Amino acid sequence: EPEVTQTPSHQVTQMGQEVILRCVPISNHLYFYWYRQILGQKVEFLVSFYNNEISEKSEIFDDQFSVERPDGSNFTLKIRSTKLEDSAMYFCASREGSQGLQPQHFGDGTRLSIL
Amino acid sequence: AQSVTQLGSHVSVSEGALVLLRCNYSSSVPPYLFWYVQYPNQGLQLLLKYTSAATLVKGINGFEAEFKKSETSFHLTKPSAHMSDAAEYFCAVSGKAAGNKLTFGGGTRVLVKP
């Protein structure tokens, strides 16, 4: 069964450094998402992306964050200048599209640790 | 705005006993509802979804959930717990537009005792 893949599985970065988290969504999917889960807290929505533009973003997704689909397969989340509070598990998800009843498929996540 | 509340952050059941995980939602429009499971060091895997076709929804691994509009609930059950059911379970709600985000509950971690 097709799956969403995320790399790396674990990223350790110094505070203030830029980090790029990578995702390869399922190939025929049209909608892409990033979520994060701080240890011990809820899974939180960050951003959704469709037709090469952001369709919705949360309050968390400030100017330090950006997303990109640089080619036909990858979907990236960039954090420009990381803070300690960015430490979390980041999940990428994709959805086939056109109807809300189609579920989102999640990757295994990237654990981001900011030192 | 949508929200999800899962009662009980931890549930402990004996192997073979009933598993009951509670989920209540708040939504201004008829929602789509989902249960996801997360095994250690893995992503979120879809267990089942409610999309208004039937109020009792059957999912994978013997789980099912019943949508009760009057109670704004979508509780997850399994008649007989197995050791492999030990995981964290998340209830989530979305609107019906294609790009709609998921709003998650806080999760319930299930421990299965032999």
Side-chain angles (χ1 to χ4, degrees), chain A residues 51-65:
Chain A
N51 199 25
N52 282 320
E53 61 183 28
I54 290 173
S55 47
E56 186 178 359
K57 60 183 181 179
S58 71
E59 294 174 351
I60 304 166
F61 195 88
D62 61 22
D63 292 344
Q64 296 296 320
F65 291 87

Side-chain angles (χ1 to χ4, degrees), chain B residues 3-21:
Chain B
S3 66
V4 178
T5 301
Q6 291 183 241
L7 288 176
S9 59
H10 291 80
V11 167
S12 181
V13 299
S14 297
E15 193 173 17
L18 171 72
V19 180
L20 170 60
L21 305 182

Side-chain angles (χ1 to χ4, degrees), chain B residues 13-113:
Chain B
V13 299
S14 297
E15 193 173 17
L18 171 72
V19 180
L20 170 60
L21 305 182
R22 299 180 187 275
C23 171
N24 288 88
Y25 70 91
S26 168
S27 177
S28 57
V29 297
Y32 291 138
L33 293 157
F34 305 85
W35 275 99
Y36 283 86
V37 60
Q38 185 180 30
Y39 298 103
N41 300 314
Q42 294 187 26
L44 298 162
Q45 179 183 357
L46 181 70
L47 270 180
L48 49 79
K49 62 183 182 185
Y50 167 74
T51 57
S52 74
T55 56
L56 184 61
V57 181
K58 294 189 184 300
I60 62 171
N61 302 339
F63 284 93
E64 62 182 37
E66 186 172 10
F67 173 71
K68 291 187 177 180
K69 185 178 179 181
S70 60
E71 298 178 8
T72 60
S73 69
F74 190 55
H75 301 331
L76 180 72
T77 59
K78 181 174 180 177
S80 177
H82 191 273
M83 296 299 291
S84 60
D85 295 326
E88 189 155 20
Y89 293 79
F90 294 92
C91 182
V93 63
S94 81
K96 294 188 172 180
N100 271 7
K101 65 187 181 192
L102 288 170
T103 300
F104 286 88
T108 299
R109 188 170 297 279
V110 172
L111 172 66
V112 182
K113 299 177 292 186

Side-chain angles (χ1 to χ4, degrees), chain A residues 52-98:
Chain A
N52 282 320
E53 61 183 28
I54 290 173
S55 47
E56 186 178 359
K57 60 183 181 179
S58 71
E59 294 174 351
I60 304 166
F61 195 88
D62 61 22
D63 292 344
Q64 296 296 320
F65 291 87
S66 62
V67 289
E68 193 178 34
R69 190 155 160 81
D71 53 41
S73 59
N74 289 285
F75 179 52
T76 61
L77 174 69
K78 182 192 291 186
I79 308 174
R80 188 152 51 91
S81 177
T82 50
K83 308 182 186 75
L84 292 176
E85 54 264 38
D86 294 327
S87 294
M89 182 74 96
Y90 288 80
F91 292 105
C92 173
S94 68
R95 169 189 270 164
E96 188 172 352
S98 77

Side-chain angles (χ1 to χ4, degrees), chain A residues 2-108:
Chain A
E3 59 182 28
V4 177
T5 56
Q6 291 186 243
T7 55
S9 57
H10 192 187
Q11 174 80 45
V12 181
T13 301
Q14 292 288 332
M15 186 173 59
Q17 296 296 306
E18 175 183 286
V19 67
I20 297 176
L21 309 183
R22 303 182 191 279
C23 170
V24 179
I26 295 172
S27 62
N28 63 332
H29 284 193
L30 301 177
Y31 292 85
F32 313 112
Y33 307 81
W34 284 100
Y35 294 82
R36 79 173 184 189
Q37 185 181 28
I38 295 172
L39 189 63
Q41 298 186 23
K42 289 185 178 186
V43 177
E44 302 173 288
F45 167 76
L46 290 178
V47 65
S48 59
F49 192 85
Y50 169 71
N51 199 25
N52 282 320
E53 61 183 28
I54 290 173
S55 47
E56 186 178 359
K57 60 183 181 179
S58 71
E59 294 174 351
I60 304 166
F61 195 88
D62 61 22
D63 292 344
Q64 296 296 320
F65 291 87
S66 62
V67 289
E68 193 178 34
R69 190 155 160 81
D71 53 41
S73 59
N74 289 285
F75 179 52
T76 61
L77 174 69
K78 182 192 291 186
I79 308 174
R80 188 152 51 91
S81 177
T82 50
K83 308 182 186 75
L84 292 176
E85 54 264 38
D86 294 327
S87 294
M89 182 74 96
Y90 288 80
F91 292 105
C92 173
S94 68
R95 169 189 270 164
E96 188 172 352
S98 77
Q99 294 181 13
L101 59 84
Q102 293 167 326
Q104 295 180 25
H105 297 260
F106 285 79
D108 284 346

